[in-house]
Amino acid sequence: MIFKSNFSKMIALIVGMLLLLLCMGISIVYGYADTSIQATYQSFTQFNNSNEHIIIQNVRIPRALIATCVGASLAITGVLMQTLTKNPLASPGILGINAGAGFAVVFAMIFFHISSLQSFAWIAFLGATIAALAVYGISSSGRDAITPVKITLAGAAISALFASFTQGLLATNEAELDQVLFWLAGSVQGRELEILLAVLPYLVVGWIAALLISSKMNILALGDDVAKGLGLPLGFMKVAVGLIVILLAGGSVAIAGPIGFIGIVVPHFARKFVGTDHRWVIPMAAVLGGILLLLADVTARYIIMPQEVPVGVMTAIIGTPFFIYLARKGGKK
């Protein structure tokens, strides 16, 4: 169902925001430890250092905020990547960001014995940035300009390279395997608010920049030849999109590890509601991305309680059927 008028799109966006707030509330209240809506309210108004209040303030609220920010960032990144590469299956992984971040963390753990999540965040950010820059360097080399096909192939090559390096390091250092596997699966469990606050400025810059170029993305979606004919500076736009992807996807991986499928699935649902205008698609995708990751995280708490499934596994369970559907649809075309 596509809302055609700006008024109906605004209503849909407002409803989405309200649902996002509801999902944040669900994430804060429900989990392995018994809490209630009343206790959540009292933790703000009458905090008394009880276990219930401490769990709500120190665990549940940071977790809900992190899931919201990461889900929104990955969804926006998916929108930008799918438009840039003209590939409906494109996602942050296409630039090798997940693989680069994972390799950087594994390398730091094995050779420098780093184990803190705060350190993981910055190391992952560095690895994601290096991977994205490598993809850009490869795709911009040669006589031809940067094309969607070259970006896709370069991203696939870098992803395969870093993934092979990561598997090789883990195979020869089994002692570090348990420590890093949970992070590599993608999770918002155990993340403190300080980790989000450290990366949040980069995410905010990425969100604002994505909104600022949203009208230009509409032109870019028409194809390189048409965009060039309309006077759009293609080189600048592609560099700008790449930098935004580094900020948003790199920051998300730095916080929660490589969480897949949100960048693939959510942009398609956003377009189902508001059409193809990026001025609406980007904010709607951000809202839906936050909702999806929050619901996936809540579900992950109950699958094998009292233990938790990494939220990256839950998003894969949700996203894989949709990925297969898109692949089959594209193959038929």
Side-chain angles (χ1 to χ4, degrees):
M1 177 181 180
I2 297 178
F3 297 96
K4 296 183 178 180
S5 68
N6 288 339
F7 178 76
S8 61
K9 291 177 182 179
M10 180 60 70
I11 295 298
L13 187 59
I14 292 174
V15 171
M17 290 179 178
L18 293 176
L19 289 175
L20 178 62
L21 292 175
L22 175 63
C23 291
M24 291 181 70
I26 293 173
S27 177
I28 293 171
V29 172
Y30 294 100
Y32 175 68
D34 290 330
T35 57
S36 64
I37 297 175
Q38 181 180 6
T40 302
Y41 176 76
Q42 290 177 346
S43 71
F44 288 97
T45 59
Q46 303 173 16
F47 185 80
N48 58 14
N49 281 321
S50 65
N51 289 336
E52 198 172 14
H53 287 185
I54 291 174
I55 289 173
I56 292 171
Q57 290 290 330
N58 296 344
V59 178
R60 297 276 178 81
I61 290 177
R63 188 168 180 169
L65 291 174
I66 288 172
T68 301
C69 292
V70 170
S73 299
L74 292 175
I76 293 174
T77 304
V79 172
L80 298 179
M81 289 305 306
Q82 289 172 14
T83 301
L84 178 66
T85 62
K86 312 298 187 296
N87 181 356
L89 299 179
S91 68
I94 200 171
L95 283 185
I97 287 176
N98 290 356
F103 171 74
V105 170
V106 172
F107 185 88
M109 288 185 63
I110 291 175
F111 291 100
F112 299 103
H113 306 290
I114 295 174
S115 59
S116 70
L117 288 175
Q118 287 84 353
S119 299
F120 279 2
W122 292 109
I123 294 168
F125 210 147
L126 177 62
T129 302
I130 292 174
L133 291 176
V135 171
Y136 174 77
I138 295 172
S139 60
S140 61
S141 62
R143 297 179 180 179
D144 298 331
I146 300 176
T147 63
V149 174
K150 291 178 69 175
I151 293 176
T152 302
L153 293 176
I158 292 297
S159 294
L161 179 66
F162 279 123
S164 299
F165 287 163
T166 301
Q167 294 299 323
L169 288 176
L170 291 177
T172 56
N173 295 269
E174 295 183 3
E176 307 289 346
L177 190 61
D178 292 338
Q179 298 181 25
V180 78
L181 278 183
F182 196 83
W183 184 89
L184 287 175
S187 177
V188 295
Q189 179 187 1
R191 270 54 170 178
E192 298 178 355
L193 192 59
E194 287 74 14
I195 299 176
L196 174 62
L197 294 177
V199 182
L200 187 59
Y202 302 98
L203 298 182
V204 172
V205 170
W207 297 338
I208 295 174
L211 291 174
L212 290 177
I213 68 169
S214 59
S215 60
K216 304 295 183 183
M217 294 299 295
N218 291 333
I219 302 175
L220 186 63
L222 298 175
D224 288 358
D225 293 336
V226 176
K228 188 180 298 184
L230 293 174
L232 184 70
L234 284 178
F236 172 79
M237 275 298 299
K238 291 177 180 179
V239 171
V241 171
L243 290 175
I244 295 172
V245 167
I246 290 174
L247 290 174
L248 295 182
S252 298
V253 173
I255 298 171
I259 297 177
F261 290 99
I262 289 181
I264 297 175
V265 173
V266 172
H268 294 277
F269 282 104
R271 296 186 191 101
K272 288 290 185 182
F273 287 114
V274 297
T276 58
D277 188 343
H278 286 78
R279 293 174 297 179
W280 294 100
V281 173
I282 289 175
M284 179 59 75
V287 171
L288 295 179
I291 291 174
L292 177 59
L293 192 55
L294 283 167
L295 293 179
D297 181 45
V298 172
T299 305
R301 303 174 193 179
Y302 290 93
I303 297 296
I304 55 173
M305 186 180 284
Q307 295 181 332
E308 292 191 18
V309 175
V311 72
V313 175
M314 292 306 305
T315 58
I317 293 173
I318 295 170
T320 298
F322 190 78
F323 183 90
I324 295 172
Y325 166 75
L326 288 176
R328 288 174 59 88
K329 184 178 178 182
K332 291 178 181 179
K333 287 184 179 179

